[in-house]
Amino acid sequence: MKFEPNTNVFKINWYINQMQGWSFKTYMLLMLGIGVIIGTTISAPINLITFVTMIAAIMGFTCTLAITNAKAINGVLGLLSSIIYIIISITAKNYANIVLQASYIFLLDLPVLLLPAWNKDAAKHIRGLNVSKWLLTFFFFVVTTGLLYLMDTKVFISPRPLIDAVAGAIGLTGSLLCTLRFREQYYFWTIQGILSVVLWGVTAFQGDANLTLFFTYILYLSNDLLAFTDKHTHWFH
């Protein structure tokens, strides 16, 4: 594919167009999600970290809904939110999540912004995994889990190495499947969402983060449910 920066990102009309044509249920979930994220943020003491966490959570959640609706705005929102998530993960010592967020930038965000053809008629190029591709996917997951666990225990010392590594590996696998337009990515997003709820819940209760990301990943699970059940989205319908 030809590298060609998406200059539409500098046009207001492009953003308006990208926010149109979503399913009604995703619009409702978007409004609910923004309310929950803002509410959980202002219910606790506000500082710089909690404020930027709120911004990242809103952009990240909107990004997942954009992916569900096959909209290219996910590239912009994902890039900005991932950068902030990396900073938050550094302060929380969730090192595998740093790798995960970096993978989102290279596998999900930059292709949309630099390879316009990648996102052209994306809904028409959705496909499923066969047996051999499932085996390759499982192999990729196992190897990635092992490498992230070694990183969390040998290179950096994470307070939560196992949860961090497994959640990161599942997210990496899901992002790879998303880049290749496989619908089975949502199985991995769902499991990764559950583990991320656990990871950021434990992180918050151990005093290394606030509860905003805990509730945000619960919202991510709601988006995964829509991908499976909403007949107006393309991944399974």
Side-chain angles (χ1 to χ4, degrees), residues 121-226:
D121 298 324
K124 297 180 181 179
H125 300 286
I126 295 170
R127 51 186 174 156
L129 292 173
N130 56 29
V131 174
S132 62
K133 288 185 174 64
W134 264 115
L135 291 174
L136 287 172
T137 300
F138 181 73
F139 176 76
F140 176 83
F141 164 70
V142 171
V143 171
T144 304
T145 301
L147 291 175
L148 290 178
Y149 184 78
L150 287 174
M151 182 192 72
D152 270 357
T153 56
K154 303 299 182 181
V155 182
F156 306 103
I157 306 302
S158 171
R160 300 159 288 274
L162 183 59
I163 300 174
D164 190 32
V166 174
I170 292 175
L172 276 165
T173 306
S175 63
L176 178 62
L177 293 179
C178 181
T179 301
L180 299 175
R181 300 193 185 98
F182 286 110
R183 62 173 55 90
E184 285 83 2
Q185 63 175 291
Y186 279 94
Y187 299 137
F188 288 88
W189 293 143
T190 301
I191 298 171
Q192 196 261 345
I194 294 171
L195 288 177
S196 292
V197 168
V198 175
L199 172 65
W200 288 103
V202 172
T203 302
F205 285 111
Q206 289 181 345
D208 292 323
N210 60 37
L211 285 171
T212 299
L213 289 181
F214 170 76
F215 287 107
T216 299
Y217 277 102
I218 293 177
L219 293 169
Y220 283 6
L221 285 173
S222 301
N223 174 62
D224 297 334
L225 179 62
L226 280 186

Side-chain angles (χ1 to χ4, degrees), residues 38-117:
I38 293 175
T40 54
T41 300
I42 64 177
S43 65
I46 302 294
N47 54 42
L48 181 59
I49 290 295
T50 57
F51 178 76
V52 297
T53 299
M54 179 186 73
I55 299 300
I58 291 174
M59 289 192 297
F61 180 57
T62 307
C63 171
T64 62
L65 292 172
I67 292 175
T68 299
N69 287 275
K71 294 293 185 177
I73 194 175
N74 78 277
V76 178
L77 296 173
L79 176 62
L80 296 175
S81 62
S82 290
I83 291 172
I84 300 175
Y85 277 144
I86 287 172
I87 297 172
I88 297 168
S89 296
I90 291 173
T91 63
K93 302 181 182 65
N94 288 333
Y95 300 110
N97 197 65
I98 298 171
V99 176
L100 174 60
Q101 296 301 325
S103 77
Y104 289 164
I105 292 174
F106 289 101
L107 292 176
L108 301 181
D109 305 328
L110 292 182
V112 174
L113 298 177
L114 300 178
L115 300 171

